Amino acid sequence: EAGVAQSPRYKIIEKRQSVAFWCNPISGHATLYWYQQILGQGPKLLIQFQNNGVVDDSQLPKDRFSAERLKGVDSTLKIQPAKLEDSAVYLCASSLDLSPGNTIYFGEGSWLTVV
Amino acid sequence: SQQGEEDPQALSIQEGENATMNCSYKTSINNLQWYRQNSGRGLVHLILIRSNEREKHSGRLRVTLDTSKKSSSLLITASRAADTASYFCAAGTQGGKLIFGQGTELSVKP
């Protein structure tokens, strides 16, 4: 079974530029998450989707971050304009659905450096 | 912050020894999940323990959960150099979200 796919793996941009990350969850998984992990810290939830609807985006800095999952499968996370403090790993994860006992599977992450 | 805490922040042991990592969380949970992260890689799921369970085993891993103290521990027995990684606990909340701790960096010396 294929895991959660993410691209690009690495990206270096200058501050005030924009960047987009793509995620393809495990086939059949209705719930998709984007997490931000700053070096040396645990991941922090940015946004959670159930199919193509947003369940929780309370931690998403909406002035610069946006995310969509238009057809309820793939998702894109965009940052515009980027700030130095956005340097982090952006982890996509998926689970079968919102049932509390489900395992949540993570991708390899997209590593962003803002210079 | 809702994030929990892990203790110790860093742990260095010799191959063959046991490694114990502790985690405390702040929110109500449905489950608690442990993950491993090798340097430069994503998170690998290790084990899930439900809120009505007290102990769970998987291979060389043993997880305990004390919901009255809002704490969990992960024991890795007979550690190997390949176990060197960061280990994170994550509180699984209602609605399917995970709230992560800060992680424990484990170094196993051959």
Side-chain angles (χ1 to χ4, degrees):
Chain A
E1 179 183 85
V4 177
Q6 291 189 244
S7 68
R9 286 293 318 277
Y10 305 96
K11 192 77 176 177
I12 301 175
I13 62 172
E14 294 183 351
K15 59 184 179 183
R16 291 186 289 275
Q17 286 188 324
S18 64
V19 63
F21 301 115
W22 171 85
C23 172
N24 182 232
I26 293 173
S27 178
H29 280 196
T31 310
L32 184 146
Y33 311 79
W34 283 102
Y35 280 81
Q36 179 195 57
Q37 184 180 21
I38 292 171
L39 189 65
Q41 298 181 18
K44 183 185 81 171
L45 179 68
L46 291 176
I47 189 166
Q48 177 188 14
F49 291 95
Q50 175 69 5
N51 296 311
N52 61 351
V54 175
V55 175
D56 184 350
D57 64 356
S58 58
Q59 300 293 311
L60 189 73
K62 298 181 185 65
D63 57 335
R64 297 183 300 104
F65 286 65
S66 65
E68 59 184 18
R69 194 185 184 200
L70 294 176
K71 296 182 180 178
V73 181
D74 294 7
S75 176
T76 302
L77 175 70
K78 295 180 182 176
I79 307 173
Q80 182 179 13
K83 292 185 175 181
L84 296 177
E85 59 259 37
D86 298 332
S87 294
V89 185
Y90 292 87
L91 295 160
C92 181
S94 71
S95 66
L96 202 56
D97 53 41
L98 291 174
S99 298
N102 286 332
T103 297
I104 298 176
Y105 297 93
F106 284 79
E108 290 288 339
S110 291
W111 297 69
L112 174 66
T113 301
V114 182
V115 297
Chain B
S1 166
Q2 281 190 303
Q3 283 197 310
E5 293 182 2
E6 294 190 55
D7 169 50
Q9 290 189 338
L11 179 61
S12 182
I13 59 174
Q14 295 293 132
E15 223 171 14
E17 293 181 340
N18 295 341
T20 300
M21 289 161 266
N22 302 298
C23 159
S24 62
Y25 55 90
K26 299 178 182 179
T27 187
S28 298
I29 64 167
N30 285 296
N31 63 74
L32 192 125
Q33 304 189 37
W34 284 88
Y35 289 83
R36 184 186 75 230
Q37 187 175 38
N38 289 85
S39 182
R41 306 298 299 272
L43 295 167
V44 174
H45 186 265
L46 295 176
I47 195 166
L48 180 154
I49 185 166
R50 300 177 195 279
S51 60
N52 61 353
E53 296 176 311
R54 292 296 166 257
E55 187 171 314
K56 199 162 183 179
H57 297 254
S58 176
R60 293 184 297 114
L61 306 180
R62 173 179 167 253
V63 168
T64 62
L65 178 64
D66 186 337
T67 52
S68 67
K69 294 181 180 177
K70 293 194 172 182
S71 67
S72 175
S73 68
L74 171 68
L75 168 67
I76 305 174
T77 59
S79 63
R80 305 165 182 168
D83 294 329
T84 294
S86 293
Y87 290 82
F88 293 91
C89 72
T93 67
Q94 191 70 28
K97 286 185 276 291
L98 290 177
I99 300 174
F100 282 84
Q102 300 286 63
T104 292
E105 199 172 314
L106 174 65
S107 174
V108 181
K109 294 180 171 32

